[in-house]
Amino acid sequence: MIANNFYLKKNNFKSLSNILMLVGLSITIIFIFLAFTAPILQNIGLIKDPLESLKNPIHQAPNIQHFFGTSGQGYDVFSRTIFGSQAALKVVLLATSFSLIIGVPLGLISGYFGGKIDKCLLFLMDTIYTLPGLLLSVTLAFVVGRGVINAALALSISYIPQYYRVVRNHTTSVKTELYIEAAKAMGASPTRILSKYLFFNVIQSVPVLFTLNAADAILILGGLGFLGLGLPEDVPEWGYDLKLALDALPTGIWWTALFPGLAMTTMVTGLSLLGEGLSEMLNPINR
């Protein structure tokens, strides 16, 4: 009886996890679709130019011509919200890719060879990991300046230690397995062992980390944009739009802040749900 109850609870938990993952995946796909189709939607006249200002810049409440209203600078909030997903996706994909490309190989090398290499890399990564992500990104943004690539680099530094630590720990436990020892005995080089035998065994948790880091990167990018350190002013970005909307909020102009903030929150929620769902699915205990 107890076993049956446990089985039912486990199945219910898995069903709920699957539903949440599907919701997160759906939200993520919608934003990816909007990011890729934004220029097409503009060309066929479904959305306005996000950089085109009205002749007489003034706040307009949501209406038929401007679904999300207009900002004090005369911009169409709806088009800037749509194009904001494009900017967020570019920076987030670049940032997480940079950190993955650097962190995973370093984790493999550190975990496999150990010794002084491992100690030096571990000390360096632990030092970076102890720094708050937003503070580190703000500091780097001051140094490298504004821009898509620069913002991605500023964000990626704080994520490298996460990939490094996960891959290093898995590599340390897997490198003592019999098939690794057999490969060494057959004369396989360290490069071949790392690329063919270890890499595909330790990479399983990376997709989960990738989605969760992407969600976090959107928030930090929004923070950089709010501080004026993210993307150039000619690139629609949710954080920068929130900065522009701040002064209008006390006067009852709510739409300029609501829609960019809602878009950012929704995309972060979608990626977080997707990451948690992947974590449950890839966890051997829950299979």
Side-chain angles (χ1 to χ4, degrees):
M1 186 68 178
I2 295 175
N4 289 336
N5 288 337
F6 175 77
Y7 180 76
L8 290 173
K9 289 181 179 179
K10 184 178 180 180
N11 280 345
N12 290 335
F13 178 74
K14 289 178 66 176
S15 299
L16 179 60
S17 298
N18 291 336
I19 292 172
L20 293 176
M21 186 177 70
L22 288 175
V23 171
L25 180 62
S26 301
I27 294 173
T28 304
I29 289 174
I30 289 172
F31 276 99
I32 292 174
F33 173 80
L34 291 175
F36 276 100
T37 59
I40 300 173
L41 296 175
Q42 180 190 338
N43 290 334
I44 62 178
L46 290 181
I47 61 175
K48 302 181 184 301
D49 186 345
L51 300 178
E52 182 181 353
S53 177
L54 299 175
K55 293 182 179 179
N56 298 315
I58 188 174
H59 285 108
Q60 294 185 24
N63 54 65
I64 295 177
Q65 290 186 339
H66 304 281
F67 301 131
F68 290 176
T70 62
S71 66
Q73 295 74 32
Y75 296 127
D76 182 72
V77 178
F78 180 72
S79 64
R80 290 186 68 85
T81 302
I82 298 296
F83 272 89
S85 62
Q86 188 180 68
L89 188 65
K90 284 181 182 178
V91 174
V92 166
L93 283 178
L94 285 173
T96 48
S97 297
F98 287 158
S99 54
L100 186 151
I101 291 170
I102 297 173
V104 170
L106 289 180
L108 283 168
I109 293 170
S110 182
Y112 181 74
F113 290 103
K116 292 183 178 180
I117 295 177
D118 182 46
K119 289 181 180 179
C120 291
L121 286 174
L122 194 59
F123 175 78
L124 175 62
M125 294 300 167
D126 284 347
T127 302
I128 298 174
Y129 191 73
T130 57
L131 299 174
L134 179 58
L135 179 60
L136 181 60
S137 299
V138 168
T139 304
L140 292 172
F142 267 116
V143 175
V144 299
R146 301 170 71 173
V148 173
I149 301 295
N150 292 346
L153 288 172
L155 290 171
S156 65
I157 299 299
S158 60
Y159 299 129
I160 291 174
Q162 298 183 35
Y163 290 98
Y164 166 82
R165 289 160 68 98
V166 168
V167 173
R168 175 194 174 274
N169 292 340
H170 284 190
T171 303
T172 302
S173 60
V174 171
K175 72 177 183 179
T176 56
E177 296 289 338
L178 291 177
Y179 68 91
I180 300 295
E181 296 297 331
K184 290 180 181 178
M186 294 176 64
S189 64
T191 303
R192 183 173 177 81
I193 293 173
L194 287 172
S195 61
K196 185 175 181 180
Y197 299 103
L198 284 174
F199 177 78
F200 293 103
N201 282 283
V202 304
I203 204 70
Q204 295 180 2
S205 59
V206 167
V208 178
L209 194 57
F210 189 91
T211 54
L212 295 177
N213 281 345
D216 185 66
I218 291 173
L219 292 176
I220 295 182
L221 176 64
L224 291 178
F226 190 81
L227 295 172
L229 299 172
L231 305 182
E233 295 181 5
D234 60 349
V235 179
E237 195 268 315
W238 294 328
Y240 182 69
D241 285 351
L242 288 175
K243 175 189 176 183
L244 295 178
L246 187 63
D247 293 336
L249 278 177
T251 63
I253 309 299
W254 51 268
W255 54 88
T256 55
L258 173 64
F259 295 111
L262 189 61
M264 185 189 303
T265 304
T266 304
M267 191 172 184
V268 168
T269 301
L271 287 168
S272 299
L273 290 176
L274 179 60
E276 292 296 334
L278 286 173
S279 178
E280 294 296 334
M281 184 177 69
L282 295 175
N283 190 343
I285 298 176
N286 298 324
R287 292 178 184 174

